[in-house]
Coordinates of all heavy atoms in Angstrom, one line a residue:
T107 N 4.8 -9.5 -14.3 CA 6.0 -10.3 -14.4 C 7.2 -9.5 -13.8 O 7.4 -8.3 -14.1 CB 6.4 -10.5 -15.9 OG1 5.3 -11.3 -16.5 CG2 7.6 -11.3 -16.0
I108 N 7.9 -10.1 -12.9 CA 9.1 -9.5 -12.3 C 10.3 -10.3 -12.9 O 10.4 -11.5 -12.7 CB 9.1 -9.7 -10.8 CG1 7.8 -8.9 -10.2 CG2 10.4 -9.1 -10.1 CD1 7.6 -9.2 -8.7
G109 N 11.1 -9.6 -13.6 CA 12.2 -10.2 -14.3 C 13.6 -9.7 -13.9 O 13.8 -8.6 -13.4
Y110 N 14.6 -10.6 -14.1 CA 16.0 -10.2 -13.8 C 16.9 -10.8 -14.9 O 16.7 -12.0 -15.2 CB 16.4 -10.7 -12.4 CG 17.9 -10.8 -12.3 CD1 18.6 -9.7 -12.2 CD2 18.5 -12.1 -12.2 CE1 20.0 -9.8 -12.1 CE2 19.9 -12.2 -12.0 CZ 20.6 -11.0 -12.0 OH 22.0 -11.1 -11.9
H111 N 17.8 -10.0 -15.3 CA 18.8 -10.5 -16.3 C 20.2 -9.8 -16.0 O 20.2 -8.7 -15.6 CB 18.4 -10.3 -17.7 CG 17.1 -10.9 -18.1 ND1 16.9 -12.2 -18.4 CD2 15.8 -10.3 -18.1 CE1 15.7 -12.4 -18.6 NE2 15.0 -11.3 -18.5
R112 N 21.2 -10.5 -16.3 CA 22.6 -10.0 -16.1 C 23.1 -9.3 -17.4 O 22.8 -9.8 -18.5 CB 23.6 -11.0 -15.7 CG 23.2 -11.7 -14.3 CD 24.2 -12.7 -13.9 NE 25.4 -12.2 -13.5 CZ 26.5 -12.9 -13.0 NH1 26.3 -14.2 -12.9 NH2 27.6 -12.3 -12.7
Q113 N 23.8 -8.2 -17.3 CA 24.4 -7.5 -18.4 C 25.8 -7.2 -18.0 O 26.2 -7.3 -16.8 CB 23.7 -6.2 -18.8 CG 22.3 -6.4 -19.3 CD 21.7 -5.1 -19.8 OE1 22.4 -4.1 -19.9 NE2 20.5 -5.2 -20.3
K114 N 26.6 -6.9 -19.0 CA 28.0 -6.5 -18.7 C 28.1 -5.3 -17.8 O 27.7 -4.2 -18.2 CB 28.8 -6.3 -20.0 CG 30.3 -6.0 -19.7 CD 31.0 -5.9 -21.0 CE 32.5 -5.7 -20.8 NZ 33.3 -5.6 -22.1
G115 N 28.5 -5.4 -16.6 CA 28.7 -4.3 -15.7 C 27.4 -3.9 -14.9 O 27.5 -3.0 -14.1
F116 N 26.3 -4.5 -15.3 CA 25.0 -4.1 -14.7 C 24.1 -5.3 -14.5 O 24.3 -6.4 -15.1 CB 24.2 -3.1 -15.6 CG 24.8 -1.8 -15.7 CD1 25.8 -1.5 -16.7 CD2 24.5 -0.8 -14.8 CE1 26.4 -0.2 -16.7 CE2 25.0 0.5 -14.9 CZ 26.0 0.8 -15.8
H117 N 23.1 -5.1 -13.7 CA 22.1 -6.1 -13.5 C 20.8 -5.4 -13.8 O 20.5 -4.4 -13.4 CB 22.0 -6.6 -12.0 CG 23.2 -7.4 -11.6 ND1 23.3 -8.8 -11.8 CD2 24.4 -7.0 -11.2 CE1 24.5 -9.2 -11.4 NE2 25.2 -8.1 -11.0
Q118 N 20.0 -6.1 -14.7 CA 18.8 -5.5 -15.2 C 17.5 -6.1 -14.6 O 17.5 -7.4 -14.5 CB 18.7 -5.7 -16.7 CG 17.3 -5.1 -17.3 CD 17.3 -5.2 -18.8 OE1 18.1 -4.6 -19.5 NE2 16.3 -5.9 -19.3
F119 N 16.6 -5.3 -14.1 CA 15.4 -5.8 -13.5 C 14.2 -5.1 -14.3 O 14.4 -4.1 -14.9 CB 15.3 -5.3 -12.1 CG 16.4 -5.8 -11.2 CD1 17.6 -5.0 -11.2 CD2 16.3 -6.9 -10.5 CE1 18.7 -5.4 -10.4 CE2 17.4 -7.3 -9.7 CZ 18.6 -6.6 -9.7
H120 N 13.1 -5.8 -14.3 CA 11.9 -5.1 -14.9 C 10.6 -5.6 -14.2 O 10.5 -6.7 -13.6 CB 11.8 -5.4 -16.4 CG 11.4 -6.7 -16.8 ND1 10.1 -6.9 -17.3 CD2 12.0 -7.9 -16.9 CE1 9.9 -8.2 -17.6 NE2 11.1 -8.8 -17.4
V121 N 9.6 -4.8 -14.2 CA 8.3 -5.1 -13.7 C 7.3 -4.7 -14.8 O 7.1 -3.6 -15.2 CB 8.0 -4.3 -12.4 CG1 6.5 -4.6 -11.9 CG2 9.0 -4.6 -11.3
K122 N 6.6 -5.8 -15.3 CA 5.7 -5.6 -16.4 C 4.3 -6.1 -16.1 O 4.1 -7.1 -15.4 CB 6.3 -6.5 -17.6 CG 5.4 -6.4 -18.8 CD 6.1 -7.3 -19.9 CE 5.3 -7.3 -21.2 NZ 5.9 -8.1 -22.3
N123 N 3.3 -5.3 -16.5 CA 2.0 -5.7 -16.2 C 1.2 -5.7 -17.5 O 1.4 -4.9 -18.4 CB 1.3 -4.7 -15.2 CG 1.2 -3.3 -15.8 OD1 2.1 -2.5 -15.6 ND2 0.0 -3.0 -16.4
E124 N 0.2 -6.6 -17.6 CA -0.8 -6.6 -18.7 C -1.8 -5.5 -18.4 O -2.1 -5.2 -17.2 CB -1.5 -7.9 -18.7 CG -0.5 -9.1 -19.0 CD -1.3 -10.4 -19.0 OE1 -2.3 -10.5 -18.3 OE2 -0.8 -11.4 -19.6
G125 N -2.3 -4.9 -19.4 CA -3.4 -3.9 -19.2 C -3.3 -2.8 -20.3 O -2.9 -3.0 -21.4
P126 N -3.9 -1.7 -19.9 CA -4.1 -0.6 -20.9 C -2.8 0.0 -21.4 O -2.7 0.6 -22.5 CB -4.9 0.4 -20.2 CG -4.6 0.2 -18.8 CD -4.5 -1.3 -18.6
G127 N -1.7 -0.1 -20.7 CA -0.4 0.4 -21.1 C -0.4 1.9 -21.0 O -1.3 2.6 -20.4
I128 N 0.6 2.5 -21.6 CA 0.9 4.0 -21.6 C 1.0 4.5 -23.0 O 1.8 3.9 -23.8 CB 2.2 4.3 -20.8 CG1 2.1 3.7 -19.4 CG2 2.4 5.8 -20.7 CD1 3.4 3.7 -18.6
P129 N 0.3 5.5 -23.4 CA 0.5 6.1 -24.7 C 1.9 6.4 -25.0 O 2.6 6.9 -24.2 CB -0.4 7.3 -24.7 CG -1.4 7.1 -23.6 CD -0.7 6.2 -22.6
H130 N 2.3 6.1 -26.2 CA 3.8 6.2 -26.6 C 4.3 7.7 -26.3 O 5.4 7.8 -25.9 CB 3.9 5.9 -28.1 CG 5.4 6.0 -28.5 ND1 6.3 5.0 -28.2 CD2 6.0 6.9 -29.3 CE1 7.5 5.4 -28.7 NE2 7.3 6.5 -29.4
H131 N 3.5 8.7 -26.6 CA 3.9 10.0 -26.4 C 4.1 10.5 -25.0 O 4.7 11.5 -24.7 CB 3.0 11.0 -27.2 CG 1.6 11.1 -26.5 ND1 0.6 10.2 -26.7 CD2 1.1 12.1 -25.7 CE1 -0.4 10.5 -26.0 NE2 -0.2 11.7 -25.4
L132 N 3.6 9.6 -24.1 CA 3.8 9.9 -22.6 C 4.9 9.2 -22.0 O 5.2 9.4 -20.8 CB 2.5 9.6 -21.9 CG 1.2 10.5 -22.3 CD1 0.0 10.1 -21.5 CD2 1.5 12.0 -22.0
L133 N 5.5 8.2 -22.7 CA 6.5 7.4 -22.1 C 7.7 8.2 -21.5 O 8.3 7.9 -20.5 CB 7.0 6.3 -23.1 CG 6.1 5.1 -23.3 CD1 6.7 4.3 -24.4 CD2 6.0 4.3 -22.0
S134 N 8.1 9.2 -22.2 CA 9.2 10.0 -21.8 C 8.9 10.9 -20.7 O 9.8 11.6 -20.1 CB 9.8 10.9 -23.0 OG 8.8 11.8 -23.4
R135 N 7.6 11.0 -20.3 CA 7.2 12.0 -19.3 C 6.8 11.3 -18.0 O 6.6 12.0 -17.0 CB 6.0 12.8 -19.8 CG 6.3 13.7 -21.0 CD 5.1 14.5 -21.4 NE 4.5 15.2 -20.3 CZ 3.3 15.7 -20.3 NH1 2.5 15.6 -21.4 NH2 2.9 16.4 -19.3
V136 N 6.7 10.0 -17.9 CA 6.1 9.3 -16.7 C 7.0 9.5 -15.5 O 6.6 9.4 -14.4 CB 5.9 7.8 -17.0 CG1 4.8 7.7 -18.0 CG2 7.1 7.1 -17.4
F137 N 8.3 9.8 -15.7 CA 9.2 10.0 -14.6 C 9.4 11.4 -14.1 O 10.1 11.7 -13.2 CB 10.6 9.4 -14.9 CG 10.6 7.9 -15.1 CD1 10.6 7.4 -16.4 CD2 10.5 7.0 -14.1 CE1 10.6 6.1 -16.7 CE2 10.4 5.6 -14.3 CZ 10.5 5.2 -15.6
E138 N 8.7 12.3 -14.8 CA 8.7 13.7 -14.4 C 8.0 14.0 -13.1 O 7.0 13.3 -12.8 CB 8.1 14.6 -15.5 CG 8.8 14.6 -16.8 CD 8.1 15.4 -17.9 OE1 7.1 16.0 -17.5 OE2 8.6 15.5 -19.0
K139 N 8.5 15.0 -12.4 CA 7.8 15.3 -11.1 C 6.4 15.7 -11.3 O 6.1 16.5 -12.2 CB 8.6 16.4 -10.4 CG 8.3 16.6 -8.9 CD 9.3 17.5 -8.3 CE 9.2 17.6 -6.8 NZ 10.1 18.5 -6.2
F140 N 5.5 15.1 -10.6 CA 4.1 15.4 -10.6 C 3.4 14.9 -11.9 O 2.2 15.1 -12.1 CB 3.7 16.9 -10.4 CG 4.3 17.5 -9.2 CD1 5.2 18.6 -9.2 CD2 3.9 17.0 -8.0 CE1 5.7 19.1 -8.0 CE2 4.4 17.5 -6.8 CZ 5.3 18.5 -6.8
A141 N 4.1 14.1 -12.7 CA 3.5 13.5 -13.8 C 2.7 12.3 -13.3 O 3.1 11.6 -12.4 CB 4.5 13.0 -14.8
R142 N 1.5 12.1 -13.8 CA 0.6 11.0 -13.3 C 0.1 10.2 -14.5 O -0.2 10.7 -15.5 CB -0.6 11.5 -12.5 CG -0.1 12.1 -11.2 CD -1.3 12.7 -10.4 NE -1.8 13.9 -11.0 CZ -2.9 14.5 -10.5 NH1 -3.5 14.1 -9.4 NH2 -3.3 15.6 -11.1
I143 N 0.0 8.9 -14.3 CA -0.4 8.0 -15.3 C -1.9 8.0 -15.4 O -2.6 8.0 -14.4 CB 0.0 6.5 -15.0 CG1 1.6 6.4 -14.9 CG2 -0.5 5.5 -16.0 CD1 2.1 5.1 -14.5
R144 N -2.4 8.0 -16.6 CA -3.8 8.1 -16.8 C -4.4 6.6 -16.7 O -4.0 5.8 -17.5 CB -4.2 8.7 -18.2 CG -5.6 9.0 -18.4 CD -5.9 9.7 -19.7 NE -5.3 11.0 -19.8 CZ -5.9 12.1 -19.3 NH1 -7.1 12.0 -18.8 NH2 -5.3 13.2 -19.4
E145 N -5.1 6.4 -15.7 CA -5.6 5.0 -15.4 C -6.5 4.6 -16.6 O -7.4 5.3 -17.0 CB -6.4 5.0 -14.1 CG -6.9 3.6 -13.8 CD -7.6 3.6 -12.4 OE1 -7.7 4.6 -11.8 OE2 -8.1 2.5 -12.1
G146 N -6.2 3.4 -17.1 CA -7.0 2.9 -18.2 C -6.7 3.6 -19.5 O -7.3 3.4 -20.5
G147 N -5.7 4.5 -19.5 CA -5.3 5.2 -20.7 C -6.2 6.4 -21.0 O -5.9 7.3 -21.7

Side-chain angles (χ1 to χ4, degrees):
T107 302
I108 300 171
Y110 160 68
H111 302 281
R112 299 180 70 174
Q113 293 189 4
K114 185 176 182 180
F116 289 91
H117 293 268
Q118 178 176 301
F119 304 85
H120 78 103
V121 178
K122 180 179 182 180
N123 65 272
E124 299 174 336
I128 304 167
H130 182 74
H131 67 282
L132 294 179
L133 283 175
S134 62
R135 297 180 54 196
V136 295
F137 296 102
E138 293 178 2
K139 197 171 187 178
F140 303 121
R142 291 180 290 179
I143 298 173
R144 191 175 294 274
E145 185 177 354

